[in-house]
Short mmCIF file of all heavy atoms in Angstrom, two decimals:
data_model
loop_
_atom_site.label_atom_id
_atom_site.label_comp_id
_atom_site.label_asym_id
_atom_site.label_seq_id
_atom_site.Cartn_x
_atom_site.Cartn_y
_atom_site.Cartn_z
N MET U 1 -94.39 51.50 -44.57
CA MET U 1 -94.46 52.63 -43.59
C MET U 1 -93.08 53.04 -43.13
O MET U 1 -92.33 52.15 -42.75
CB MET U 1 -95.34 52.22 -42.47
CG MET U 1 -95.44 53.50 -41.47
SD MET U 1 -96.40 53.04 -39.99
CE MET U 1 -97.99 53.70 -40.46
N CYS U 2 -92.87 54.25 -43.18
CA CYS U 2 -91.52 54.76 -42.78
C CYS U 2 -91.36 54.73 -41.22
O CYS U 2 -92.32 54.86 -40.46
CB CYS U 2 -91.43 56.31 -43.11
SG CYS U 2 -89.84 57.10 -42.63
N LYS U 3 -90.17 54.37 -40.82
CA LYS U 3 -89.91 54.07 -39.40
C LYS U 3 -89.68 55.41 -38.80
O LYS U 3 -89.73 55.55 -37.49
CB LYS U 3 -88.56 53.20 -39.17
CG LYS U 3 -88.80 51.87 -39.62
CD LYS U 3 -87.57 51.02 -39.42
CE LYS U 3 -87.65 49.70 -39.92
NZ LYS U 3 -86.49 48.94 -39.63
N CYS U 4 -89.48 56.59 -39.42
CA CYS U 4 -89.20 57.82 -38.79
C CYS U 4 -90.52 58.74 -38.83
O CYS U 4 -90.42 59.99 -38.77
CB CYS U 4 -88.12 58.53 -39.61
SG CYS U 4 -88.46 58.89 -41.26
N TYR U 5 -91.69 58.10 -38.84
CA TYR U 5 -92.88 58.94 -38.86
C TYR U 5 -93.08 59.79 -37.67
O TYR U 5 -93.67 60.84 -37.70
CB TYR U 5 -94.09 58.06 -39.10
CG TYR U 5 -94.47 57.14 -37.94
CD1 TYR U 5 -95.28 57.53 -36.89
CD2 TYR U 5 -93.87 55.85 -37.73
CE1 TYR U 5 -95.58 56.63 -35.82
CE2 TYR U 5 -94.15 55.07 -36.68
CZ TYR U 5 -94.89 55.52 -35.78
OH TYR U 5 -95.36 54.66 -34.70
N LYS U 6 -92.55 59.38 -36.41
CA LYS U 6 -92.61 60.21 -35.31
C LYS U 6 -91.92 61.44 -35.51
O LYS U 6 -92.40 62.54 -34.97
CB LYS U 6 -92.14 59.46 -33.99
CG LYS U 6 -92.93 58.36 -33.70
CD LYS U 6 -92.35 57.52 -32.52
CE LYS U 6 -93.08 56.30 -32.15
NZ LYS U 6 -92.59 55.62 -31.05
N HIS U 7 -90.77 61.47 -36.06
CA HIS U 7 -90.00 62.70 -36.17
C HIS U 7 -90.67 63.67 -37.26
O HIS U 7 -90.57 64.87 -37.09
CB HIS U 7 -88.57 62.38 -36.70
CG HIS U 7 -87.75 61.74 -35.65
ND1 HIS U 7 -87.50 62.26 -34.47
CD2 HIS U 7 -87.29 60.38 -35.68
CE1 HIS U 7 -86.65 61.29 -33.82
NE2 HIS U 7 -86.69 60.21 -34.43
N ASP U 8 -91.31 63.08 -38.31
CA ASP U 8 -92.02 63.93 -39.21
C ASP U 8 -93.08 64.50 -38.69
O ASP U 8 -93.30 65.72 -38.92
CB ASP U 8 -92.54 63.06 -40.47
CG ASP U 8 -91.29 62.46 -41.29
OD1 ASP U 8 -90.16 63.14 -41.20
OD2 ASP U 8 -91.35 61.55 -41.93
N SER U 9 -93.89 63.99 -37.88
CA SER U 9 -94.96 64.42 -37.17
C SER U 9 -94.64 65.70 -36.21
O SER U 9 -95.20 66.66 -36.04
CB SER U 9 -95.87 63.46 -36.46
OG SER U 9 -95.18 62.90 -35.40
N PHE U 10 -93.42 65.47 -35.61
CA PHE U 10 -92.93 66.59 -34.70
C PHE U 10 -92.55 67.72 -35.54
O PHE U 10 -92.84 68.84 -35.09
CB PHE U 10 -91.71 65.90 -33.83
CG PHE U 10 -91.04 67.07 -33.13
CD1 PHE U 10 -91.55 67.40 -31.88
CD2 PHE U 10 -89.78 67.67 -33.59
CE1 PHE U 10 -91.00 68.40 -31.13
CE2 PHE U 10 -89.27 68.59 -32.73
CZ PHE U 10 -89.74 69.06 -31.57
N ARG U 11 -91.97 67.63 -36.61
CA ARG U 11 -91.68 68.71 -37.48
C ARG U 11 -92.87 69.47 -37.99
O ARG U 11 -92.92 70.69 -37.96
CB ARG U 11 -90.82 68.31 -38.66
CG ARG U 11 -89.42 67.83 -38.27
CD ARG U 11 -88.62 67.43 -39.54
NE ARG U 11 -87.29 67.01 -39.09
CZ ARG U 11 -86.79 65.87 -39.34
NH1 ARG U 11 -87.36 65.09 -40.18
NH2 ARG U 11 -85.54 65.61 -38.88
N VAL U 12 -93.97 68.69 -38.29
CA VAL U 12 -95.21 69.30 -38.67
C VAL U 12 -95.81 70.18 -37.54
O VAL U 12 -96.31 71.27 -37.68
CB VAL U 12 -96.16 68.36 -39.28
CG1 VAL U 12 -97.58 68.88 -39.38
CG2 VAL U 12 -95.62 67.73 -40.55
N LEU U 13 -95.76 69.49 -36.38
CA LEU U 13 -96.28 70.16 -35.16
C LEU U 13 -95.53 71.44 -34.89
O LEU U 13 -96.07 72.40 -34.56
CB LEU U 13 -96.18 69.17 -34.01
CG LEU U 13 -96.74 69.74 -32.69
CD1 LEU U 13 -98.17 69.99 -32.85
CD2 LEU U 13 -96.47 68.61 -31.59
N LEU U 14 -94.09 71.42 -35.02
CA LEU U 14 -93.41 72.56 -34.76
C LEU U 14 -93.65 73.70 -35.68
O LEU U 14 -93.96 74.88 -35.42
CB LEU U 14 -91.84 72.18 -34.85
CG LEU U 14 -90.83 73.31 -34.65
CD1 LEU U 14 -90.97 73.81 -33.18
CD2 LEU U 14 -89.48 72.87 -34.90
N LEU U 15 -93.77 73.41 -36.97
CA LEU U 15 -94.22 74.31 -38.05
C LEU U 15 -95.59 74.90 -37.81
O LEU U 15 -95.76 76.20 -37.83
CB LEU U 15 -94.04 73.71 -39.42
CG LEU U 15 -94.49 74.63 -40.61
CD1 LEU U 15 -93.37 75.63 -40.68
CD2 LEU U 15 -94.53 73.78 -41.77
N VAL U 16 -96.58 74.16 -37.42
CA VAL U 16 -97.82 74.65 -37.21
C VAL U 16 -97.91 75.49 -35.87
O VAL U 16 -98.47 76.64 -35.90
CB VAL U 16 -98.83 73.46 -37.02
CG1 VAL U 16 -100.23 73.94 -36.49
CG2 VAL U 16 -99.10 72.84 -38.35
N GLY U 17 -97.23 75.05 -34.88
CA GLY U 17 -97.14 75.85 -33.69
C GLY U 17 -96.47 77.12 -33.89
O GLY U 17 -96.96 78.22 -33.40
N LEU U 18 -95.41 77.20 -34.65
CA LEU U 18 -94.67 78.53 -34.91
C LEU U 18 -95.64 79.44 -35.73
O LEU U 18 -95.67 80.70 -35.43
CB LEU U 18 -93.46 78.35 -35.61
CG LEU U 18 -92.32 77.64 -34.69
CD1 LEU U 18 -91.09 77.41 -35.55
CD2 LEU U 18 -91.95 78.57 -33.59
N THR U 19 -96.30 78.96 -36.68
CA THR U 19 -97.15 79.90 -37.41
C THR U 19 -98.48 80.23 -36.66
O THR U 19 -98.88 81.25 -36.81
CB THR U 19 -97.60 79.15 -38.85
OG1 THR U 19 -98.23 77.84 -38.53
CG2 THR U 19 -96.41 78.89 -39.74
N LEU U 20 -98.87 79.32 -35.84
CA LEU U 20 -100.07 79.69 -34.98
C LEU U 20 -99.71 80.74 -33.96
O LEU U 20 -100.44 81.73 -33.67
CB LEU U 20 -100.55 78.41 -34.30
CG LEU U 20 -101.74 78.75 -33.38
CD1 LEU U 20 -102.94 79.11 -34.20
CD2 LEU U 20 -102.02 77.44 -32.57
N VAL U 21 -98.56 80.72 -33.31
CA VAL U 21 -98.10 81.82 -32.48
C VAL U 21 -98.10 83.16 -33.18
O VAL U 21 -98.53 84.10 -32.58
CB VAL U 21 -96.78 81.44 -31.78
CG1 VAL U 21 -96.18 82.63 -31.10
CG2 VAL U 21 -96.90 80.21 -30.87
N LEU U 22 -97.49 83.21 -34.28
CA LEU U 22 -97.43 84.43 -35.06
C LEU U 22 -98.82 84.98 -35.40
O LEU U 22 -99.04 86.13 -35.28
CB LEU U 22 -96.55 84.36 -36.39
CG LEU U 22 -95.03 84.03 -36.10
CD1 LEU U 22 -94.41 83.68 -37.47
CD2 LEU U 22 -94.44 85.17 -35.35
N ALA U 23 -99.73 84.02 -35.75
CA ALA U 23 -100.98 84.49 -36.13
C ALA U 23 -101.76 85.07 -34.85
O ALA U 23 -102.48 86.02 -34.93
CB ALA U 23 -101.80 83.28 -36.76
N LEU U 24 -101.58 84.35 -33.75
CA LEU U 24 -102.13 84.81 -32.58
C LEU U 24 -101.62 86.10 -32.04
O LEU U 24 -102.39 86.96 -31.67
CB LEU U 24 -101.93 83.84 -31.35
CG LEU U 24 -102.78 82.54 -31.51
CD1 LEU U 24 -102.45 81.50 -30.36
CD2 LEU U 24 -104.35 82.75 -31.55
N PHE U 25 -100.40 86.37 -32.18
CA PHE U 25 -99.74 87.66 -31.89
C PHE U 25 -100.34 88.78 -32.82
O PHE U 25 -100.64 89.90 -32.36
CB PHE U 25 -98.17 87.74 -32.01
CG PHE U 25 -97.46 87.02 -30.77
CD1 PHE U 25 -96.23 86.62 -30.96
CD2 PHE U 25 -98.12 87.09 -29.56
CE1 PHE U 25 -95.56 86.16 -29.90
CE2 PHE U 25 -97.50 86.51 -28.56
CZ PHE U 25 -96.14 86.01 -28.73
N THR U 26 -100.57 88.46 -33.97
CA THR U 26 -101.07 89.41 -34.98
C THR U 26 -102.62 89.71 -34.56
O THR U 26 -103.05 90.89 -34.52
CB THR U 26 -101.15 88.83 -36.37
OG1 THR U 26 -99.74 88.67 -36.65
CG2 THR U 26 -101.58 89.95 -37.33
N ALA U 27 -103.30 88.68 -34.16
CA ALA U 27 -104.77 88.83 -33.88
C ALA U 27 -105.01 89.54 -32.64
O ALA U 27 -105.88 90.46 -32.53
CB ALA U 27 -105.42 87.46 -33.83
N PHE U 28 -104.24 89.28 -31.65
CA PHE U 28 -104.41 89.90 -30.30
C PHE U 28 -103.62 91.09 -30.00
O PHE U 28 -103.82 91.86 -28.98
CB PHE U 28 -104.15 88.82 -29.08
CG PHE U 28 -105.15 87.78 -29.14
CD1 PHE U 28 -104.84 86.49 -29.55
CD2 PHE U 28 -106.41 88.05 -28.64
CE1 PHE U 28 -105.79 85.43 -29.52
CE2 PHE U 28 -107.41 87.09 -28.62
CZ PHE U 28 -107.05 85.77 -29.07
N GLY U 29 -102.63 91.42 -30.77
CA GLY U 29 -101.73 92.62 -30.61
C GLY U 29 -101.01 92.61 -29.24
O GLY U 29 -100.50 91.62 -28.68
N ARG U 30 -101.10 93.81 -28.57
CA ARG U 30 -100.38 94.00 -27.13
C ARG U 30 -101.12 93.07 -26.04
O ARG U 30 -100.55 92.87 -25.15
CB ARG U 30 -100.38 95.40 -26.89
CG ARG U 30 -99.48 96.18 -27.70
CD ARG U 30 -99.27 97.58 -27.10
NE ARG U 30 -98.38 98.36 -28.11
CZ ARG U 30 -97.10 98.35 -28.02
NH1 ARG U 30 -96.58 97.65 -27.05
NH2 ARG U 30 -96.35 99.15 -28.82
N ARG U 31 -102.37 92.84 -26.34
CA ARG U 31 -103.04 91.96 -25.33
C ARG U 31 -102.46 90.57 -25.20
O ARG U 31 -102.59 89.89 -24.11
CB ARG U 31 -104.54 91.80 -25.61
CG ARG U 31 -105.25 93.12 -25.51
CD ARG U 31 -106.68 92.95 -25.92
NE ARG U 31 -106.70 92.76 -27.42
CZ ARG U 31 -107.67 92.34 -28.12
NH1 ARG U 31 -108.91 92.15 -27.55
NH2 ARG U 31 -107.69 92.20 -29.31
N ALA U 32 -101.75 90.12 -26.16
CA ALA U 32 -101.09 88.88 -26.06
C ALA U 32 -99.89 88.78 -24.99
O ALA U 32 -99.57 87.68 -24.65
CB ALA U 32 -100.41 88.51 -27.53
N PHE U 33 -99.41 89.95 -24.62
CA PHE U 33 -98.39 90.06 -23.60
C PHE U 33 -98.81 90.29 -22.31
O PHE U 33 -98.16 90.66 -21.41
CB PHE U 33 -97.47 91.15 -24.01
CG PHE U 33 -96.72 90.81 -25.36
CD1 PHE U 33 -97.16 91.50 -26.53
CD2 PHE U 33 -95.68 90.06 -25.38
CE1 PHE U 33 -96.56 91.23 -27.64
CE2 PHE U 33 -94.95 89.75 -26.59
CZ PHE U 33 -95.38 90.42 -27.73
N TRP U 34 -100.20 89.73 -21.90
CA TRP U 34 -100.69 89.90 -20.60
C TRP U 34 -99.91 89.16 -19.61
O TRP U 34 -99.38 88.07 -20.03
CB TRP U 34 -102.18 89.41 -20.70
CG TRP U 34 -102.82 89.39 -19.39
CD1 TRP U 34 -103.39 90.44 -18.80
CD2 TRP U 34 -102.83 88.34 -18.40
NE1 TRP U 34 -103.96 90.08 -17.51
CE2 TRP U 34 -103.45 88.87 -17.37
CE3 TRP U 34 -102.45 87.17 -18.48
CZ2 TRP U 34 -103.73 88.07 -16.12
CZ3 TRP U 34 -102.67 86.26 -17.35
CH2 TRP U 34 -103.24 86.73 -16.28
N PRO U 35 -99.69 89.52 -18.46
CA PRO U 35 -100.18 90.63 -17.73
C PRO U 35 -99.28 91.91 -17.87
O PRO U 35 -99.64 92.92 -17.41
CB PRO U 35 -100.14 90.17 -16.37
CG PRO U 35 -99.10 89.26 -16.19
CD PRO U 35 -99.03 88.55 -17.52
N ALA U 36 -98.15 91.84 -18.45
CA ALA U 36 -97.20 93.02 -18.54
C ALA U 36 -97.23 93.38 -19.94
O ALA U 36 -96.47 92.94 -20.78
CB ALA U 36 -95.83 92.55 -18.15
N GLN U 37 -98.19 94.40 -20.19
CA GLN U 37 -98.25 94.82 -21.64
C GLN U 37 -97.36 96.11 -21.82
O GLN U 37 -97.61 97.06 -21.10
CB GLN U 37 -99.75 95.28 -21.94
CG GLN U 37 -100.69 94.12 -21.83
CD GLN U 37 -102.13 94.63 -22.09
OE1 GLN U 37 -102.46 95.73 -22.06
NE2 GLN U 37 -102.96 93.51 -22.11
N PRO U 38 -96.39 95.85 -22.65
CA PRO U 38 -95.37 97.07 -22.92
C PRO U 38 -96.16 98.10 -23.56
O PRO U 38 -97.07 98.02 -24.43
CB PRO U 38 -94.41 96.51 -23.77
CG PRO U 38 -95.04 95.27 -24.48
CD PRO U 38 -96.06 94.83 -23.52
N LYS U 39 -95.74 99.31 -23.19
CA LYS U 39 -96.37 100.67 -23.88
C LYS U 39 -95.29 101.17 -24.74
O LYS U 39 -94.09 101.00 -24.59
CB LYS U 39 -96.72 101.58 -22.73
CG LYS U 39 -97.61 101.11 -21.69
CD LYS U 39 -99.01 100.87 -22.27
CE LYS U 39 -100.02 100.74 -21.15
NZ LYS U 39 -100.34 99.32 -21.00
N VAL U 40 -95.76 101.83 -25.81
CA VAL U 40 -94.79 102.59 -26.78
C VAL U 40 -94.11 103.60 -26.01
O VAL U 40 -94.59 104.42 -25.41
CB VAL U 40 -95.61 103.05 -27.99
CG1 VAL U 40 -94.63 103.96 -28.96
CG2 VAL U 40 -96.31 102.07 -28.65
N GLY U 41 -92.67 103.62 -26.11
CA GLY U 41 -91.87 104.68 -25.54
C GLY U 41 -91.50 104.24 -24.15
O GLY U 41 -90.72 104.92 -23.51
N GLU U 42 -92.13 103.13 -23.56
CA GLU U 42 -91.81 102.82 -22.16
C GLU U 42 -90.38 102.20 -22.09
O GLU U 42 -90.01 101.42 -23.05
CB GLU U 42 -92.81 101.82 -21.75
CG GLU U 42 -92.74 101.34 -20.22
CD GLU U 42 -93.94 100.40 -19.97
OE1 GLU U 42 -94.89 100.41 -20.47
OE2 GLU U 42 -93.50 99.52 -18.98
N ASP U 43 -89.66 102.36 -20.97
CA ASP U 43 -88.45 101.71 -20.72
C ASP U 43 -88.73 100.24 -20.68
O ASP U 43 -89.83 99.68 -20.26
CB ASP U 43 -87.77 102.15 -19.40
CG ASP U 43 -87.23 103.51 -19.50
OD1 ASP U 43 -87.03 103.98 -20.64
OD2 ASP U 43 -87.12 104.17 -18.48
N SER U 44 -87.69 99.31 -21.03
CA SER U 44 -87.89 97.92 -21.10
C SER U 44 -88.18 97.44 -19.66
O SER U 44 -87.76 97.95 -18.72
CB SER U 44 -86.67 97.22 -21.63
OG SER U 44 -85.60 97.49 -20.74
N LEU U 45 -88.98 96.33 -19.54
CA LEU U 45 -89.41 95.71 -18.30
C LEU U 45 -88.07 95.02 -17.74
O LEU U 45 -87.11 94.72 -18.55
CB LEU U 45 -90.49 94.70 -18.58
CG LEU U 45 -91.84 95.27 -18.91
CD1 LEU U 45 -92.73 94.13 -19.41
CD2 LEU U 45 -92.43 96.11 -17.93
N GLU U 46 -88.05 94.63 -16.56
CA GLU U 46 -86.96 93.91 -15.86
C GLU U 46 -86.82 92.53 -16.60
O GLU U 46 -87.74 91.90 -16.88
CB GLU U 46 -87.31 93.66 -14.44
CG GLU U 46 -86.20 93.02 -13.69
CD GLU U 46 -86.56 92.79 -12.28
OE1 GLU U 46 -87.23 93.67 -11.70
OE2 GLU U 46 -86.11 91.91 -11.64
N LYS U 47 -85.55 92.33 -16.98
CA LYS U 47 -85.33 91.15 -17.84
C LYS U 47 -84.90 89.96 -16.94
O LYS U 47 -84.18 90.13 -15.89
CB LYS U 47 -84.16 91.37 -18.81
CG LYS U 47 -84.47 92.41 -19.90
CD LYS U 47 -83.35 92.61 -20.78
CE LYS U 47 -83.79 93.60 -21.95
NZ LYS U 47 -82.61 93.76 -22.92
N SER U 48 -85.32 88.79 -17.34
CA SER U 48 -84.95 87.51 -16.75
C SER U 48 -83.50 87.21 -17.40
O SER U 48 -83.35 87.16 -18.61
CB SER U 48 -85.95 86.39 -17.01
OG SER U 48 -85.34 85.15 -16.69
N HIS U 49 -82.58 86.81 -16.56
CA HIS U 49 -81.22 86.36 -17.24
C HIS U 49 -81.31 85.21 -18.05
O HIS U 49 -80.82 85.20 -19.13
CB HIS U 49 -80.26 86.14 -16.06
CG HIS U 49 -79.93 87.33 -15.24
ND1 HIS U 49 -79.24 88.33 -15.69
CD2 HIS U 49 -80.33 87.62 -13.97
CE1 HIS U 49 -79.24 89.35 -14.67
NE2 HIS U 49 -79.85 88.89 -13.65
N PHE U 50 -82.20 84.23 -17.81
CA PHE U 50 -82.29 83.08 -18.68
C PHE U 50 -82.85 83.42 -19.93
O PHE U 50 -82.35 83.06 -21.01
CB PHE U 50 -83.20 82.00 -17.97
CG PHE U 50 -83.51 80.80 -18.87
CD1 PHE U 50 -82.57 79.89 -19.07
CD2 PHE U 50 -84.72 80.70 -19.52
CE1 PHE U 50 -82.87 78.83 -19.82
CE2 PHE U 50 -85.01 79.73 -20.28
CZ PHE U 50 -84.10 78.67 -20.49
N TRP U 51 -84.01 84.18 -20.12
CA TRP U 51 -84.59 84.56 -21.27
C TRP U 51 -83.69 85.48 -22.06
O TRP U 51 -83.76 85.63 -23.27
CB TRP U 51 -85.92 85.13 -21.10
CG TRP U 51 -86.82 83.95 -20.64
CD1 TRP U 51 -87.44 83.81 -19.49
CD2 TRP U 51 -87.19 82.74 -21.40
NE1 TRP U 51 -88.25 82.75 -19.37
CE2 TRP U 51 -88.03 82.07 -20.49
CE3 TRP U 51 -86.93 82.28 -22.66
CZ2 TRP U 51 -88.57 80.80 -20.99
CZ3 TRP U 51 -87.40 81.05 -23.02
CH2 TRP U 51 -88.20 80.37 -22.23
N ALA U 52 -82.96 86.47 -21.42
CA ALA U 52 -82.11 87.28 -22.09
C ALA U 52 -81.02 86.50 -22.85
O ALA U 52 -80.61 86.80 -24.01
CB ALA U 52 -81.37 88.21 -21.04
N LYS U 53 -80.47 85.48 -22.19
CA LYS U 53 -79.38 84.62 -22.89
C LYS U 53 -80.11 83.85 -24.07
O LYS U 53 -79.49 83.62 -25.11
CB LYS U 53 -78.76 83.72 -21.88
CG LYS U 53 -77.97 84.30 -20.94
CD LYS U 53 -77.35 83.37 -19.90
CE LYS U 53 -76.45 84.12 -18.90
NZ LYS U 53 -76.05 83.20 -17.86
N MET U 54 -81.27 83.34 -23.88
CA MET U 54 -82.00 82.52 -24.93
C MET U 54 -82.25 83.49 -26.07
O MET U 54 -82.02 83.02 -27.21
CB MET U 54 -83.27 81.94 -24.31
CG MET U 54 -82.97 80.86 -23.32
SD MET U 54 -82.07 79.51 -23.90
CE MET U 54 -83.14 78.73 -25.04
N SER U 55 -82.76 84.65 -25.88
CA SER U 55 -83.05 85.55 -27.06
C SER U 55 -81.72 86.00 -27.64
O SER U 55 -81.77 86.14 -28.95
CB SER U 55 -83.80 86.74 -26.51
OG SER U 55 -83.07 87.48 -25.65
N LYS U 56 -80.62 86.09 -26.94
CA LYS U 56 -79.40 86.55 -27.66
C LYS U 56 -78.93 85.44 -28.52
O LYS U 56 -78.44 85.61 -29.59
CB LYS U 56 -78.30 86.85 -26.54
CG LYS U 56 -77.02 87.30 -27.14
CD LYS U 56 -76.05 87.74 -26.10
CE LYS U 56 -74.81 88.26 -26.72
NZ LYS U 56 -73.83 88.66 -25.60
N VAL U 57 -79.11 84.01 -28.00
CA VAL U 57 -78.62 82.97 -28.94
C VAL U 57 -79.57 82.99 -30.14
O VAL U 57 -79.07 82.72 -31.19
CB VAL U 57 -78.72 81.70 -28.08
CG1 VAL U 57 -78.69 80.51 -29.06
CG2 VAL U 57 -77.59 81.69 -27.10
N ALA U 58 -80.81 83.17 -29.97
CA ALA U 58 -81.84 82.98 -31.00
C ALA U 58 -81.55 83.99 -32.06
O ALA U 58 -81.87 83.73 -33.28
CB ALA U 58 -83.28 83.04 -30.45
N THR U 59 -81.15 85.27 -31.75
CA THR U 59 -81.04 86.32 -32.58
C THR U 59 -79.54 86.39 -33.20
O THR U 59 -79.37 86.80 -34.42
CB THR U 59 -81.19 87.72 -32.06
OG1 THR U 59 -80.36 87.90 -30.90
CG2 THR U 59 -82.73 87.87 -31.63
N THR U 60 -78.69 85.89 -32.66
CA THR U 60 -77.26 85.89 -33.14
C THR U 60 -77.02 84.68 -33.91
O THR U 60 -76.08 84.72 -34.93
CB THR U 60 -76.15 85.95 -32.03
OG1 THR U 60 -76.32 85.03 -31.03
CG2 THR U 60 -76.29 87.38 -31.34
N LYS U 61 -77.55 83.57 -33.68
CA LYS U 61 -77.31 82.30 -34.36
C LYS U 61 -78.62 81.50 -34.66
O LYS U 61 -78.84 80.41 -34.26
CB LYS U 61 -76.50 81.39 -33.37
CG LYS U 61 -75.10 81.92 -33.11
CD LYS U 61 -74.32 81.04 -32.16
CE LYS U 61 -73.00 81.74 -31.74
NZ LYS U 61 -72.22 81.01 -30.94
N PRO U 62 -79.37 82.12 -35.60
CA PRO U 62 -80.73 81.50 -35.85
C PRO U 62 -80.64 80.24 -36.70
O PRO U 62 -81.41 79.21 -36.42
CB PRO U 62 -81.48 82.55 -36.63
CG PRO U 62 -80.35 83.44 -37.29
CD PRO U 62 -79.20 83.34 -36.25
N ILE U 63 -79.62 80.12 -37.55
CA ILE U 63 -79.46 78.87 -38.36
C ILE U 63 -79.11 77.74 -37.59
O ILE U 63 -79.64 76.71 -37.65
CB ILE U 63 -78.54 79.19 -39.45
CG1 ILE U 63 -79.04 80.14 -40.45
CG2 ILE U 63 -78.18 77.79 -40.21
CD1 ILE U 63 -78.05 80.58 -41.57
N LEU U 64 -78.07 77.97 -36.55
CA LEU U 64 -77.74 76.86 -35.69
C LEU U 64 -78.94 76.47 -34.86
O LEU U 64 -79.14 75.20 -34.71
CB LEU U 64 -76.69 77.43 -34.70
CG LEU U 64 -76.13 76.35 -33.68
CD1 LEU U 64 -75.46 75.18 -34.36
CD2 LEU U 64 -75.09 77.14 -32.92
N LEU U 65 -79.54 77.40 -34.32
CA LEU U 65 -80.80 77.10 -33.45
C LEU U 65 -81.79 76.25 -34.30
O LEU U 65 -82.52 75.28 -33.76
CB LEU U 65 -81.35 78.32 -32.87
CG LEU U 65 -82.51 78.10 -31.84
CD1 LEU U 65 -81.93 77.35 -30.67
CD2 LEU U 65 -83.09 79.51 -31.47
N GLY U 66 -82.10 76.62 -35.50
CA GLY U 66 -83.08 75.97 -36.34
C GLY U 66 -82.68 74.53 -36.62
O GLY U 66 -83.43 73.68 -36.63
N LEU U 67 -81.37 74.34 -36.84
CA LEU U 67 -80.84 73.12 -37.19
C LEU U 67 -80.95 72.18 -35.97
O LEU U 67 -81.27 70.96 -36.06
CB LEU U 67 -79.37 73.13 -37.63
CG LEU U 67 -79.21 73.70 -39.02
CD1 LEU U 67 -77.75 73.81 -39.36
CD2 LEU U 67 -79.84 72.81 -39.91
N LEU U 68 -80.81 72.68 -34.73
CA LEU U 68 -80.99 71.90 -33.58
C LEU U 68 -82.33 71.61 -33.29
O LEU U 68 -82.58 70.40 -32.78
CB LEU U 68 -80.38 72.77 -32.30
CG LEU U 68 -78.81 72.88 -32.14
CD1 LEU U 68 -78.49 73.83 -31.01
CD2 LEU U 68 -78.22 71.47 -31.93
N LEU U 69 -83.28 72.34 -33.56
CA LEU U 69 -84.69 72.12 -33.38
C LEU U 69 -85.18 71.04 -34.27
O LEU U 69 -86.14 70.33 -33.88
CB LEU U 69 -85.37 73.41 -33.50
CG LEU U 69 -85.29 74.44 -32.28
CD1 LEU U 69 -86.11 75.61 -32.67
CD2 LEU U 69 -85.72 73.79 -30.95
N ILE U 70 -84.74 70.99 -35.50
CA ILE U 70 -85.38 70.14 -36.49
C ILE U 70 -84.47 68.89 -36.68
O ILE U 70 -84.96 67.93 -37.36
CB ILE U 70 -85.66 70.81 -37.93
CG1 ILE U 70 -84.23 71.22 -38.54
CG2 ILE U 70 -86.58 71.81 -37.72
CD1 ILE U 70 -84.43 71.58 -39.98
N SER U 71 -83.31 68.68 -36.03
CA SER U 71 -82.58 67.60 -36.24
C SER U 71 -83.11 66.41 -35.35
O SER U 71 -83.66 66.65 -34.27
CB SER U 71 -81.00 67.83 -35.85
OG SER U 71 -81.07 68.10 -34.41
N PRO U 72 -83.10 65.20 -35.97
CA PRO U 72 -83.69 64.04 -35.35
C PRO U 72 -82.86 63.56 -34.14
O PRO U 72 -81.81 63.76 -33.86
CB PRO U 72 -83.72 62.98 -36.37
CG PRO U 72 -82.98 63.30 -37.41
CD PRO U 72 -82.60 64.94 -37.36
#
């Protein structure tokens, strides 16, 4: 038995979780963003500084973020 089985199960859980989130967003559409459902053409909602920084890192450095998430 491999000694690193805990890390392998985490990677599988991460992959399943990410694909499940995308499937749920597809199934529920705008209702998935409850209670603040954005409307087409509406100005953006008030942004949280923490999530604004996190999204900027995720969009500008996706490979680095991916490596950090899957590294043991």
Side-chain angles (χ1 to χ4, degrees):
M1 180 182 260
C2 179
K3 294 181 181 182
C4 61
Y5 68 92
K6 292 180 182 178
H7 297 292
D8 292 337
S9 61
F10 176 73
R11 289 183 181 127
V12 170
L13 180 65
L14 181 65
L15 180 65
V16 169
L18 289 174
T19 55
L20 180 63
V21 166
L22 293 176
L24 290 175
F25 279 160
T26 302
F28 290 108
R30 292 190 182 273
R31 292 177 291 168
F33 295 99
W34 177 86
Q37 296 177 351
K39 306 286 189 259
V40 176
E42 179 182 334
D43 290 338
S44 63
L45 298 172
E46 184 177 323
K47 293 183 179 180
S48 166
H49 295 290
F50 173 76
W51 291 115
K53 289 178 185 177
M54 292 301 291
S55 64
K56 185 175 181 180
V57 169
T59 56
T60 57
K61 300 177 183 180
I63 295 173
L64 176 64
L65 185 61
L67 289 174
L68 287 173
L69 289 174
I70 63 170
S71 65

